[in-house]
Amino acid sequence: MGKGGSPRGRGEWDRALPGLSETEGAEPACVSECWSLQLGRLGELQARNGVASSLGRRAGREGSSHQGRERCAIEEEVSRKARAASLRNLGGHTTGMLVSALLVLLFCLRGHAGPSPHFLQQPDDLVALLGAEARLPCALGEYWGLVQWTKDGLALGGERDLPGWSRYWISGNAASGQHDLYIRPVELEDQASYECQATQAGLRSRPAQLHVLVPPEAPQVLGGPFVSLVAGVPANLTCRSRGDARPIPELLWFRDGIRLDGTTFHQTLLKEGTTRSVESILSLTPSSADDGATLVCRARSQALPSGKDTAITLSLQYPPVVTLSAEPQSVLEGEKVTFLCQATAQPPVTGYRWAKGGSPVLGARGPMLEVVADASFLIEPVSCEVSNAVGSANRSTALEVQFGPILQARPEPMSVDVGGDASFSCAWRGNPLPRVTWTRSGDAQVLGSGPTLRLPSVGPEDAGDYVCRAEPGLSGLGGGAAEARLTVNAPPIVTALHSAPAFLRGPARLQCLVFASPAPDAVVWSWDEGFLAAGSQGRFLVETFPAPEGRGGQGPALISVLHISGTLESDFSRGFNCSARNRLGEGGARVSLGRRDLLPTVRIVAAVAAAAVTLLMVIIGVALCCWRHGKASFSKQKNLVRIPGSSDGSSSRGPEEEETGSGEDRGPIVHTDHSDLVLDEEGALETKDPTNGYYKVRGVSPPTSPNSCVTPLQVKSPGIFNLP
């Protein structure tokens, strides 16, 4: 290296002094060989040394920015000019060649004389941050010659301050063999392979790769710092990092310090191909609880392990979140209940709508609804729908209403063949659940409880009406009973009805009552010489029609009538059969015709008529007699004297006179002036009962006087007369 010149590149020395490094530590015999080998090229080395020195200085002045681009050109120029100079100065530089040869000889001798140069410390691969300081260590032992550093094979120079490389310098105690390369501040262009070379000893270190790390910039979240989302609608949040960060940063999402999953990562290159864009997309479905939440996107790499964060705040638009309550929640039927509908929403609530059992409640528009509770609220919940600009939400609730039993399903009538099983079911609704019992109509005995009554192997006696009954609830309302009829299918039951007696050769009417389930095919009347089911035949006519009311559970009732016109003597002695048949069997009854005689009736009528005529005659006779006696009593009352010894007003007749019943006078009548008292008494007796004892009659004898009111007819008892 000449004064002020740049150091030669390692390639030059290798070409100029091949086998130089091999002389280190060689035996004395190699000195002559080394000498003979180097003398042949000494002239060429001297010429090239001058050219390389000048070109090295020019390259240093042009700066490191063009080193990589002009390296090949410089080497070609060095080779060309060295050959030319070698030819021109072959004779003029004999002295220089001799000096160089002597130096080489001395070097060989010195290497043989002591320890050879060697590396005490070699540089290792290094990672440095952009803008930081990088240090590549190099320490040599037993070497005091020229030391230089190369970058990607390009020599940086032998001076300690490395002119032309403003950010580079060599530091350390050269006397102790320390030749560390420092770079500050580190830039992207410093990322290269570096070697430490002991040029005069022909030593070079292992390559050390300098990696320059570029920290990532703070990422950007699209739409931030406040991102508006709609609750319940899937959304993607995009975090983007731009720049020439090395290595490529990793983009992570955090919430409250917890890393979020569900992200996708990709990178893109811009058109110019120099700046890279890295994106991370977070997919989420936000809810109303995420309103105001803070999310952080972090760009992290080896260059910046702590990363750089960018925070955003979520602003959620969400439909109303509804809460529906009732006060009180448990009520008796008929009490008032207040429903309160509360909602949070973004944007604010715009309207309320109420419904009961799916049907709108007309006129209810606010957040409160007052109603009177009934049983329907237990199965028809009340709902409140709240709306805003984003959407609507609905909540419903059912009341705990206590009410009395309400019949939901009545028991159905049943028709069962005899010997089969029967069952009835009824359903009552109530809160609390009502107790249901089963009885028979008109009977208080409980046959069962619960919604179903089962009757195994029924017979005709089980036919009838059965009652399903539920007692009223706590409120005293509700309850009641429901009936269902059990019809037992059996052979017909025929009963003879009373028939009025008939006169000989007169009309007659015979009747029978038929119960049958299923209904009979026909009702047939039969007698000795024939039968008839319907219509007429000779003197006979049959009519069958439904009875006004059937017997419970034995099926519909029919009345069949047999009409007989012009009865014969034989009709009263024979029997008539009324019979009916259905699919289960046959039943029948015998009906007889009673006879009514004419003579007893005539006698009774005649006796009644005679009694009536006789009574009328007695009444008329007594009335006339009393009238005549009353008229004559006033003229004779002074001359009439009662015969002494008589005990009553009847007369003083003896027993023989009463037996004969004669109307002649049996004793003398004494006329005195004091007979008026007796006459008055007798007159009083005569006028006391004008009916002559119609109601209170007793046996009397006719008076002896021609004026007596008593007739010879004797009355035995009230209302009963003996005909003469």
Side-chain angles (χ1 to χ4, degrees):
M1 179 180 64
K3 181 179 179 180
S6 298
R8 295 182 181 88
R10 177 174 179 174
E12 283 186 60
W13 285 102
D14 290 343
R15 290 190 296 270
L17 301 176
L20 182 61
S21 60
E22 287 82 352
T23 62
E24 297 181 11
E27 295 296 328
C30 74
V31 174
S32 59
E33 182 180 359
C34 180
W35 174 261
S36 60
L37 290 174
Q38 301 303 329
L39 285 179
R41 298 183 182 179
L42 199 56
E44 181 180 358
L45 176 62
Q46 190 67 21
R48 293 179 61 185
N49 186 37
V51 175
S53 177
S54 63
L55 291 178
R57 286 192 299 269
R58 191 180 71 178
R61 288 192 302 270
E62 289 177 353
S64 61
S65 62
H66 300 286
Q67 291 178 1
R69 191 169 50 243
E70 296 180 355
R71 177 180 175 183
C72 295
I74 292 175
E75 291 181 353
E76 291 177 359
E77 185 178 358
V78 168
S79 177
R80 180 176 55 82
K81 290 185 177 182
R83 288 193 297 270
S86 177
L87 294 176
R88 288 193 303 269
N89 301 321
L90 182 61
H93 296 284
T94 304
T95 304
M97 293 175 62
L98 292 175
V99 172
S100 298
L102 290 175
L103 289 176
V104 172
L105 179 61
L106 291 175
F107 177 77
C108 292
L109 293 175
R110 188 185 60 186
H112 174 72
S116 62
H118 60 278
F119 282 103
L120 299 176
Q121 184 180 11
Q122 299 188 53
D124 294 319
D125 291 346
L126 180 64
V127 175
L129 288 177
L130 181 69
E133 180 180 275
R135 171 179 171 271
L136 296 172
C138 180
L140 291 165
E142 302 300 327
Y143 180 75
W144 296 271
L146 178 66
V147 176
Q148 71 172 3
W149 284 86
T150 63
K151 176 183 178 182
D152 288 336
L154 178 64
L156 299 179
E159 290 84 354
R160 307 287 286 183
D161 57 352
L162 297 179
W165 303 87
S166 59
R167 296 180 292 106
Y168 291 54
W169 72 92
I170 298 175
S171 179
N173 188 353
S176 61
Q178 195 73 30
H179 306 277
D180 298 340
L181 176 64
Y182 283 84
I183 305 174
R184 188 178 62 186
V186 175
E187 296 181 359
L188 287 176
E189 63 186 22
D190 299 331
Q191 182 166 298
S193 177
Y194 293 85
E195 289 183 2
C196 178
Q197 297 178 350
T199 57
Q200 294 174 347
L203 297 176
R204 59 183 183 182
S205 69
R206 60 174 174 265
Q209 185 70 34
L210 175 61
H211 299 279
V212 179
L213 301 183
V214 180
E217 299 178 0
Q220 177 187 7
V221 179
L222 301 185
F226 295 96
V227 179
S228 180
L229 302 176
V230 177
V233 178
N236 293 328
L237 297 179
T238 300
C239 179
R240 180 177 296 168
S241 176
R242 295 194 178 193
D244 195 17
R246 298 184 183 183
I248 298 174
E250 179 183 18
L251 299 180
L252 305 176
W253 288 93
F254 294 87
R255 177 176 179 176
D256 299 331
I258 300 175
R259 182 174 174 178
L260 301 178
D261 296 326
T263 61
T264 59
F265 180 83
H266 66 276
Q267 63 181 6
T268 57
L269 294 176
L270 299 182
K271 291 182 179 179
E272 56 270 21
T274 58
T275 304
R276 286 175 292 185
S277 174
V278 181
E279 291 184 353
S280 176
I281 299 177
L282 174 65
S283 299
L284 74 163
T285 302
S287 65
S288 58
D290 297 325
D291 187 34
T294 298
L295 301 183
V296 174
C297 179
R298 177 175 298 168
R300 185 179 69 180
S301 70
Q302 184 181 359
L304 189 62
S306 60
K308 287 188 177 181
D309 296 344
T310 298
I312 61 170
T313 301
L314 299 183
S315 176
L316 266 294
Q317 292 186 352
Y318 52 91
V321 179
V322 182
T323 301
L324 180 60
S325 61
E327 182 63 33
Q329 186 67 37
S330 179
V331 296
L332 291 177
E333 187 176 14
E335 293 183 347
K336 287 187 177 181
V337 180
T338 300
F339 292 90
L340 182 61
C341 185
Q342 297 175 313
T344 57
Q346 182 65 33
V349 172
T350 57
Y352 295 84
R353 190 176 71 168
W354 292 88
K356 175 178 174 287
S359 300
V361 179
L362 300 179
R365 296 298 181 189
M368 185 179 296
L369 175 66
E370 290 187 353
V371 297
V372 176
D374 57 33
S376 63
F377 283 88
L378 191 63
I379 59 175
E380 296 179 0
V382 173
S383 61
C384 173
E385 183 180 79
V386 186
S387 304
N388 69 351
V390 176
S392 62
N394 187 297
R395 288 293 180 272
S396 61
T397 184
L399 284 179
E400 182 69 20
V401 182
Q402 296 183 2
F403 57 93
I406 298 175
L407 182 63
Q408 285 187 305
R410 302 181 64 88
E412 297 292 335
M414 292 198 67
S415 179
V416 181
D417 290 347
V418 63
D421 296 338
S423 64
F424 293 99
S425 295
C426 70
W428 293 85
R429 182 170 61 92
N431 189 24
L433 195 65
R435 180 176 181 268
V436 179
T437 59
W438 291 88
T439 60
R440 203 162 176 178
S441 181
D443 190 354
Q445 182 181 1
V446 177
L447 302 177
S449 60
T452 302
L453 174 66
R454 302 185 187 279
L455 301 173
S457 302
V458 297
E461 68 278 3
D462 296 318
D465 294 329
Y466 290 82
V467 181
C468 172
R469 180 175 285 104
E471 299 299 327
L474 297 177
S475 62
L477 302 176
E483 292 187 1
R485 174 164 294 183
L486 173 61
T487 301
V488 179
N489 298 326
I493 300 175
V494 182
T495 304
L497 299 179
H498 174 72
S499 300
F503 293 107
L504 182 63
R505 296 183 181 84
R509 177 188 175 98
L510 302 177
Q511 300 179 96
C512 69
L513 180 63
V514 179
F515 295 100
S517 177
D521 301 329
V523 179
V524 180
W525 286 89
S526 60
W527 55 94
D528 294 342
E529 69 272 13
F531 64 90
L532 185 61
S536 61
Q537 177 181 339
R539 297 180 298 114
F540 302 98
L541 172 66
V542 173
E543 290 182 323
T544 302
F545 51 88
E549 183 177 356
R551 186 180 302 173
Q554 293 186 344
L558 299 175
I559 294 179
S560 184
V561 181
L562 175 64
H563 297 275
I564 304 175
S565 60
T567 58
L568 302 177
E569 190 70 34
S570 60
D571 294 335
F572 300 102
S573 60
R574 78 174 89 195
F576 293 87
N577 291 322
C578 177
S579 62
R581 175 184 292 274
N582 63 9
R583 63 179 177 82
L584 298 175
E586 182 178 2
R590 183 180 179 84
V591 184
S592 298
L593 178 61
R595 182 170 181 174
R596 178 182 297 177
D597 292 332
L598 182 59
L599 182 58
T601 303
V602 173
R603 288 179 178 177
I604 294 173
V605 172
V608 173
V613 171
T614 301
L615 178 60
L616 183 60
M617 290 177 62
V618 170
I619 293 174
I620 294 174
V622 171
L624 290 176
C625 181
C626 292
W627 177 74
R628 288 177 58 195
H629 179 70
K631 184 177 181 181
S633 63
F634 291 100
S635 63
K636 297 179 180 181
Q637 60 183 347
K638 296 180 180 180
N639 299 322
L640 293 178
V641 178
R642 185 178 300 276
I643 299 175
S646 62
S647 60
D648 52 24
S650 60
S651 70
S652 60
R653 294 172 294 179
E656 66 277 1
E657 292 178 351
E658 292 184 5
E659 293 174 1
T660 61
S662 173
E664 300 177 354
D665 294 336
R666 298 301 181 183
I669 298 175
V670 181
H671 294 274
T672 66
D673 295 334
H674 302 282
S675 62
D676 52 349
L677 180 60
V678 177
L679 292 175
D680 291 338
E681 293 175 359
E682 186 177 1
L685 291 172
E686 293 295 339
T687 61
K688 191 173 183 179
D689 187 3
T691 64
N692 197 25
Y694 178 76
Y695 293 100
K696 295 181 181 180
V697 180
R698 63 183 176 176
V700 298
S701 299
T704 58
S705 170
N707 298 326
S708 176
C709 295
V710 181
T711 64
L713 180 62
Q714 296 181 358
V715 181
K716 299 297 183 181
S717 62
I720 304 298
F721 300 91
N722 293 327
L723 296 178

